[in-house]
Amino acid sequence: MEARVRLTGMVRHLIGEGECRASLADDAAVEDLLRALVERYGEKLGERLFRAPGELSGSVRIFVNNQAVTNLKQKLGAGNAGTAQISIVVLSPVSGG
Amino acid sequence: MLEASATNGKTDDVWIPSACRICYSHCAIRVHRVDGVVVKIEGNPDSPANKGRICARGLSGMMQLYDPKRLNVPLKRTNPNKGIGVDPGWVEITWEEALDTIAERLKKTRAEDPRKLLCAASVAVWDAMHVNLCFTTAFGSPNYFFTGAGTHCGNAEHLMSGVLHGAFTCQPDPDYCKYLLNFGVPVGCGAHYANNAMAQRLADARVNGMRHVVIDPWMGMAAEKADEWIPIRPGTDSAMALAMLNVILNDLGIYDVEHLKHHTNGPYLIGGDGHYVRHSKSGKPLVWDAASGQAKEFDDASVGDFALEGTYSANGVSAQPAFALLKEHVQRYTPEIASEITTVPAATIRRIAKEFAEAARVGSTIVIDGKTLPYRPASVVYFKGSQGHRHATLSAMAFELLGEVLGAANVPGATLGANSRSLGFPETGRPAYSPFADRDGLCAPGAWVTPDPPLPLRQSRKPEAAHFQDLVSTVCVCSPLIPFGMLEPEKYGIPYKVDMVIQTGSNLVTTLADPRVMERALRGAFVVNFNIFLDESAELADIMLPDASYLERHDIYLESMHSIVPTGWWHSTVAQPIVEPMYQRRPAQEMLLELARRAGMLGDMYSVMNVFYGLHEPYLLDPNETYTWEEVIDRRYKSLFGPERGLEWFKKHGVLSWPKKVEETYWAPFVKVRAPIYFEFLQTAGEDIERVKKECGIQEFETSDFQPLPDWKPCQSHVEPRKDFDLYCLYYRVPFHTFTSTYNNPWLDEISRIDPYVYNVTMNTETARKKGIADGDWIEIESAGTGVTAKGRVRVSQCVHPEVIAVGSGGGHWSRHLPVASQSEKGVCFEWLLPLNFDYVDTVSFNQDLCVKVKATRMAEQPRKTGTGWTVAPVPPGLLP
Ligand code: SF4
């Protein structure tokens, strides 16, 4: 299956362009996609995405086919004819009060 | 389009519902427009929050709308020299030229390194603040900064509210509280959250027998209406709180054992290293089960009796329950020692401790809506003043523990997290959030104003943002240290230099302590400001863009902040324009979206807005489409309240409200989380920061305050060695001004002139007499911290502590484009006196220390009154070229 990914937020300086595609196994889950992205863009991206191994950072939000996802085990491709639209938003730490 | 109706021969005579946005209370209003002109603003009686009431600022909103000194056209600077008091040489440009110029800069910066952009916003322009945040995030920069009165935020209060109440801030329960212990907060008196809403409710509470005791160096708005005012030396409130805690725990022996065992980390075992003793496999904190005589994981259902006292052996180490350590720790704070520190008599400390502890009625219950709940009608509140010091977090801890040991938190009568828990609008179940347990069982907020709540604790990282919140992971709100990240990034290993700044509404130069520091930081950047006036910060801008005021624009109303009355009803209020934007004014929200489009990042902006505004299918913004700002607002309303209640519904009806459930307001008995009474996570965070500092070779950000139990420690002002700097200077919030943003409003100016104190500085009568200063004299106030001397006219009063000079906040303007505000008798800009450096910042929360030692002397030559005011420079001499 193919994942079309829009990566937004505090990762732009790591990845350059905000959109990419990834080819994954048909039964790939969110965690497989994230692993593939970290392999492609480096461990610095991993530090942004994960708080601890397997634990998503509090400032990361993921949408798969427009549905918010919190379970990294969720499959990407279900019911989507082999293509999943993914949006990953990495929120900036904020200063204010 | 706005609705219009023809009556009385007029073409247009309508009352339109909206929300006041002069401060962040966002009261519901109805605005009378006749023939296209706003003629009156009233409170909207349909709102269950402000119930038809508004304050002086709200009433005067049309004076801001029609202020002849409003910025009406885009401007660009022609003078390359930037500085405070330097004329930028403004020339008018078109919006096209302005937007194109900015968009080109944005594209270049984004291609080079998006982190070079810093965006700043003001809570006084709340809505643009959030669009600005979305813009920064979509751009790919970590450098977003929002300010109230600059850094004078309740950082430590927000941190503690998050971990103890699961909310951004707290309020006393106005429905059931019988004893309000108030460390200097003008709650319900003019300048705190949900201002008008709480004013009525707390007035009713007083009528119903609530005792209100205020501890404050200055008899401010709360103290003047209280049962008792206790003047205290600035920066010492926590010493009084710790002594009260000692009296309560060790002398009176009053504490809520059931609450401590089941709803706090009081039973967690602490080893000799100050950390939790953890289970060898699961890593969970251990407790001692007195029933079985064994150490068990804190969430083991078989624990029969959580031990709160004693010494035990667990995992091969000797350990004590956290509560036992707290009880022992506070013994050093006797009322006599605290009296030396605070100037409050020891007998008073003992009496207030006893009154408060007894008022909490530990063990009592109450039935509300058929549910039996603990009843603790005693509440502690604190905010900017009492926690606005070098050791802010330790102070906030002390205040919180007074209520927490009595079980007086998030139950009827107690201190309540403001909107900790929402079960959602009944028809949609949205928004839904609730405090939840982190891995140690502690309370993590379900909703937070920024993406970084205090818990779950983040790992410290090498600084990448100019505000250092990645390094100091406990900071969950504002950073006064941001100019240092801008000025010397290489010193802290920040791999770029901020070279572009976009501000929406914030007046950074007059609200961030010593104005000279921000002046230096902004000099090196290309600065774009959206503002309704040419204020002091405009002097550092390259392009000024005329923003629309709240009566000219649509806003998104964020329920989690504005429905901040803790009891009663949830509500969402429309925020719509009453007139079209005049001249060339345009709303910053819409222009930020337009800039995103021109910079080629609109899709990214929508992706972030989907997250930030909690949009749901089918209302998610498609990154490949284009939406108007009104369409975004419509989608948000529908995401929350269903397809029937979009923007049009809100424009017509004004307010949507529904009752709060007991499980939302008094959530503590319903949610399985524990509040820390021992702040082990701070010790962990401090050690983590030290690790990163060592890796990066950073000297600053010392971590001695990252300790698990509170202490009183002296601030810089307490250890000032020069004896002639013998007074503490502090500022207080003025109920009829919002930070610095309202001083050009002629109606508010009139009230300020009638008030004897706001535009003057207040000194204790006896202190003034000893210094040979009389009421009405002009004095020079020299700051020990900045070396700057300001001038002020003295009013003497017994309503201020003898060691204090009190200054009204937000005055002392100097922009020549604010002719009402910028006059020599219109107050003192406190920031000139307040240093901006690491010694004046709480390293745990980044709270700015707000008091400074000064020397006050009567001016040898007294200024004369002339036709245009006093012959005194509004800016300290020598600071203007
Ligand atoms: S309290 Fe704030 S929002 Fe309410 S009327 Fe006053 S200025 Fe407006």
Side-chain angles (χ1 to χ4, degrees):
Chain A
M1 65 161 289
E2 183 182 65
R4 292 187 192 156
V5 188
R6 175 183 280 271
L7 264 160
T8 313
M10 255 307 286
V11 286
R12 194 174 176 87
H13 64 289
L14 300 175
I15 62 169
E17 283 308 303
E19 288 188 27
C20 66
R21 288 166 189 239
S23 292
L24 299 162
D26 281 351
D27 63 345
V30 175
E31 62 183 358
D32 300 317
L33 170 67
L34 298 184
R35 207 174 302 124
L37 292 174
V38 172
E39 259 171 39
R40 187 182 301 177
Y41 295 112
E43 206 28 61
K44 286 241 176 283
L45 179 65
E47 286 172 21
R48 289 272 160 225
L49 297 179
F50 297 102
R51 188 203 312 276
E55 199 184 329
L56 211 55
S57 159
S59 53
V60 176
R61 305 286 188 279
I62 299 176
F63 292 79
V64 176
N65 298 325
N66 283 344
Q67 300 296 329
V69 169
T70 48
N71 180 1
L72 297 184
K73 302 272 178 223
Q74 181 170 321
K75 303 285 182 215
L76 293 174
N80 199 262
T83 303
Q85 302 284 349
I86 318 291
S87 172
I88 301 174
V89 179
V90 181
L91 300 167
S92 309
V94 166
S95 179
Chain B
M1 285 302 292
L2 301 169
E3 227 176 272
S5 62
T7 55
N8 303 330
K10 300 183 176 83
T11 55
D12 166 56
D13 186 340
V14 284
W15 285 89
I16 300 170
S18 191
C20 176
R21 280 150 283 159
I22 295 181
C23 85
Y24 44 58
S25 292
H26 288 206
C27 298
I29 54 173
R30 46 200 298 270
V31 184
H32 194 187
R33 190 187 68 200
V34 177
D35 288 343
V37 177
V38 174
V39 295
K40 195 167 197 308
I41 302 173
E42 292 182 353
N44 186 346
D46 293 343
S47 167
N50 58 305
K51 297 181 179 172
R53 292 172 176 79
I54 51 172
C55 76
R57 291 166 293 174
L59 281 169
S60 73
M62 64 259 216
M63 301 307 285
Q64 183 199 68
L65 175 68
Y66 296 120
D67 192 316
K69 297 309 286 186
R70 281 278 298 269
L71 173 62
N72 292 323
V73 294
L75 301 173
K76 82 172 173 193
R77 98 168 19 245
T78 55
N79 182 356
N81 299 320
K82 282 186 182 177
I84 290 173
V86 180
D87 183 352
W90 295 121
V91 293
E92 187 177 334
I93 54 173
T94 63
W95 268 101
E96 269 314 292
E97 181 183 345
L99 292 172
D100 276 345
T101 308
I102 300 162
E104 282 313 306
R105 292 288 301 221
L106 285 169
K107 279 195 231 170
K108 182 169 165 285
T109 300
R110 200 169 189 231
E112 283 170 11
D113 188 334
R115 297 171 297 180
K116 290 181 174 179
L117 174 71
L118 179 134
C119 293
S122 167
V123 293
V125 194
W126 184 263
D127 200 52
M129 180 177 103
H130 290 114
V131 180
N132 199 342
L133 167 60
C134 295
F135 186 91
T136 320
T137 306
F139 195 80
S141 173
N143 292 312
Y144 176 76
F145 173 70
F146 70 92
T147 71
T151 53
H152 308 194
C153 187
N155 287 30
E157 195 265 1
H158 294 315
L159 170 61
M160 287 294 138
S161 290
V163 301
L164 288 145
H165 304 276
F168 190 66
T169 191
C170 286
Q171 296 271 25
D173 179 355
D175 295 354
Y176 292 102
C177 182
K178 294 294 176 204
Y179 197 106
L180 178 54
L181 183 64
N182 181 343
F183 287 94
V185 186
V187 56
C189 304
H192 197 55
Y193 295 109
N195 180 27
N196 292 311
M198 287 303 284
Q200 182 63 59
R201 285 163 177 80
L202 286 180
D204 291 345
R206 292 292 309 284
V207 171
N208 293 329
M210 182 188 81
R211 182 167 163 72
H212 189 182
V213 175
V214 176
I215 297 132
D216 196 333
W218 156 254
M219 187 193 265
M221 294 164 281
E224 69 187 11
K225 299 177 192 66
D227 293 280
E228 185 171 352
W229 170 50
I230 300 173
I232 190 166
R233 178 180 286 147
T236 65
D237 309 61
S238 60
M240 177 167 171
L242 286 163
M244 286 178 63
L245 204 52
N246 181 20
V247 171
I248 290 169
L249 293 178
N250 293 306
D251 295 353
L252 303 171
I254 300 177
Y255 43 90
D256 188 336
V257 172
E258 284 308 301
H259 174 76
L260 289 164
K261 285 183 175 179
H262 300 286
H263 298 286
T264 75
N265 69 351
Y268 287 19
L269 292 174
I270 310 297
D273 60 358
H275 286 291
Y276 297 142
V277 180
R278 292 180 181 274
H279 190 273
S280 55
K281 288 211 176 74
S282 70
K284 289 181 181 177
L286 295 176
V287 297
W288 189 259
D289 180 9
S292 64
Q294 285 179 308
K296 294 181 178 173
E297 291 160 303
F298 74 92
D299 56 353
D300 186 330
S302 73
V303 176
D305 184 15
F306 290 94
L308 288 176
E309 304 203 45
T311 303
Y312 306 97
S313 177
N315 269 6
V317 298
S318 176
Q320 281 185 282
F323 176 69
L325 292 176
L326 169 67
K327 210 171 156 206
E328 189 186 313
H329 177 81
V330 295
Q331 279 177 4
R332 69 193 76 169
Y333 292 97
T334 64
E336 285 68 27
I337 286 174
S339 180
E340 287 286 310
I341 298 169
T342 61
T343 72
V344 177
T348 304
I349 297 173
R350 282 201 174 83
R351 174 174 58 81
I352 299 294
K354 186 163 185 290
E355 285 178 11
F356 182 70
E358 289 176 350
R361 304 189 199 183
V362 172
S364 65
T365 57
I366 188 170
V367 178
I368 302 176
D369 287 353
K371 302 200 167 63
T372 303
L373 305 166
Y375 178 47
R376 301 287 178 276
S379 173
V380 184
V381 288
Y382 62 98
F383 205 68
K384 285 186 188 177
S386 49
Q387 54 100 79
H389 297 285
R390 171 73 175 80
H391 307 286
T393 303
L394 298 179
S395 300
M397 254 188 224
F399 303 138
E400 288 285 357
L401 287 174
L402 281 170
E404 204 60 51
V405 299
L406 298 168
N410 307 305
V411 296
T415 305
L416 304 177
N419 297 337
S420 309
R421 190 170 195 230
S422 166
L423 301 176
F425 178 57
E427 290 176 27
T428 60
R430 290 182 182 135
Y433 53 84
S434 177
F436 63 97
D438 77 351
R439 69 189 186 111
D440 291 339
L442 298 189
C443 170
W448 196 252
V449 172
T450 72
D452 299 308
L455 288 177
L457 186 64
R458 286 172 283 137
Q459 268 210 328
S460 173
R461 286 205 188 122
K462 182 173 181 288
E464 187 179 349
H467 48 59
F468 303 107
Q469 284 179 222
D470 31 19
L471 173 69
V472 183
S473 48
T474 45
V475 179
C476 45
V477 274
C478 66
S479 167
L481 300 172
I482 212 160
F484 300 102
M486 293 170 74
L487 286 164
E488 301 179 290
E490 63 290 338
K491 183 172 173 186
Y492 307 101
I494 298 171
Y496 60 89
K497 191 166 170 56
V498 169
D499 66 5
M500 183 169 186
V501 175
I502 296 182
Q503 297 184 68
T504 49
S506 49
N507 192 353
L508 290 177
V509 173
T510 59
T511 54
L512 205 78
D514 190 340
R516 294 168 298 183
V517 182
M518 202 64 213
E519 178 197 30
R520 279 197 292 130
L522 290 178
R523 255 190 202 142
F526 181 79
V527 179
V528 177
N529 283 12
F530 288 90
N531 210 314
I532 61 172
F533 292 113
L534 287 171
D535 61 10
E536 288 72 16
S537 294
E539 292 173 342
L540 279 306
D542 292 272
I543 291 185
M544 287 298 302
L545 298 171
D547 200 358
S549 73
Y550 71 98
L551 295 168
E552 300 168 292
R553 65 173 195 252
H554 283 97
D555 280 351
I556 282 184
Y557 187 90
L558 287 180
E559 296 72 19
S560 63
M561 273 306 285
H562 306 136
S563 189
I564 214 157
V565 190
T567 58
W569 294 69
W570 294 99
H571 66 102
S572 188
T573 302
V574 71
Q576 63 176 318
I578 311 304
V579 293
E580 299 296 339
M582 296 156 68
Y583 307 99
Q584 293 185 45
R585 303 169 189 172
R586 295 187 190 176
Q589 294 90 320
E590 294 181 26
M591 290 304 99
L592 285 168
L593 283 166
E594 175 59 18
L595 281 172
R597 189 185 68 76
R598 291 182 189 222
M601 50 176 265
L602 192 58
D604 287 340
M605 184 98 171
Y606 289 156
S607 294
V608 179
M609 287 173 126
N610 282 336
V611 171
F612 190 80
Y613 290 124
L615 304 186
H616 293 272
E617 277 286 67
Y619 306 112
L620 283 170
L621 303 169
D622 182 340
N624 301 310
E625 297 290 331
T626 304
Y627 305 89
T628 64
W629 176 232
E630 287 177 55
E631 284 169 335
V632 174
I633 296 172
D634 184 58
R635 282 169 174 258
R636 180 164 190 279
Y637 278 133
K638 287 176 177 167
S639 283
L640 286 176
F641 305 121
E644 305 300 319
R645 293 188 183 78
L647 179 58
E648 283 312 310
W649 187 95
F650 272 89
K651 279 179 156 182
K652 194 160 166 214
H653 295 88
V655 181
L656 176 68
S657 56
W658 64 100
K660 289 189 171 175
K661 296 189 171 78
V662 170
E663 296 90 331
E664 295 174 317
T665 302
Y666 307 119
W667 59 270
F670 302 97
V671 180
K672 222 171 162 39
V673 298
R674 291 173 180 269
I677 62 161
Y678 183 92
F679 298 80
E680 193 256 8
F681 74 92
L682 289 184
Q683 186 174 326
T684 303
E687 289 163 2
D688 195 27
I689 293 164
E690 282 299 329
R691 173 185 58 77
V692 177
K693 275 173 59 183
K694 205 166 160 202
E695 281 168 20
C696 305
I698 296 172
Q699 305 299 320
E700 290 79 6
F701 305 98
E702 67 89 34
T703 55
S704 59
D705 276 10
F706 285 75
Q707 58 184 64
L709 290 171
D711 273 313
W712 177 80
K713 299 181 186 179
C715 300
Q716 282 302 110
S717 53
H718 297 120
V719 295
E720 168 57 46
R722 290 166 291 178
K723 294 280 173 256
D724 50 346
F725 288 86
D726 58 347
L727 295 173
Y728 298 89
C729 191
L730 53 81
Y731 82 88
Y732 57 91
R733 287 286 302 278
V734 178
F736 32 85
H737 283 295
T738 299
F739 311 131
T740 61
S741 66
T742 46
Y743 275 76
N744 210 56
N745 185 314
W747 288 5
L748 301 179
D749 174 58
E750 191 176 335
I751 310 176
S752 305
R753 281 187 278 117
I754 293 167
D755 184 288
Y757 302 107
V758 169
Y759 282 156
N760 298 307
V761 298
T762 311
M763 212 173 185
N764 181 274
T765 312
E766 186 55 20
T767 308
R769 190 191 61 75
K770 283 187 192 154
K771 288 181 179 290
I773 294 168
D775 193 56
D777 280 353
W778 282 84
I779 58 168
E780 287 184 330
I781 308 164
E782 184 184 342
S783 163
T786 62
V788 171
T789 300
K791 296 181 176 69
R793 194 154 169 260
V794 167
R795 297 312 305 259
V796 300
S797 169
Q798 291 180 350
C799 297
V800 63
H801 190 281
E803 298 172 8
V804 166
I805 289 184
V807 173
S809 69
H813 286 262
W814 64 84
S815 165
R816 70 198 68 176
H817 302 285
L818 301 172
V820 176
S822 300
Q823 295 176 21
S824 56
E825 74 270 33
K826 302 286 177 72
V828 171
C829 175
F830 180 75
E831 312 302 313
W832 289 111
L833 307 172
L834 191 63
L836 181 50
N837 61 46
F838 285 78
D839 290 339
Y840 278 78
V841 172
D842 172 39
T843 43
V844 184
S845 68
F846 283 0
N847 217 116
Q848 171 82 42
D849 190 338
L850 293 177
C851 81
V852 64
K853 264 304 187 50
V854 295
K855 178 163 70 178
T857 35
R858 186 177 184 278
M859 287 172 66
E861 197 173 322
Q862 289 286 302
R864 286 172 296 107
K865 183 107 170 132
T866 68
T868 55
W870 292 89
T871 53
V872 189
V875 177
L879 297 171
L880 290 181

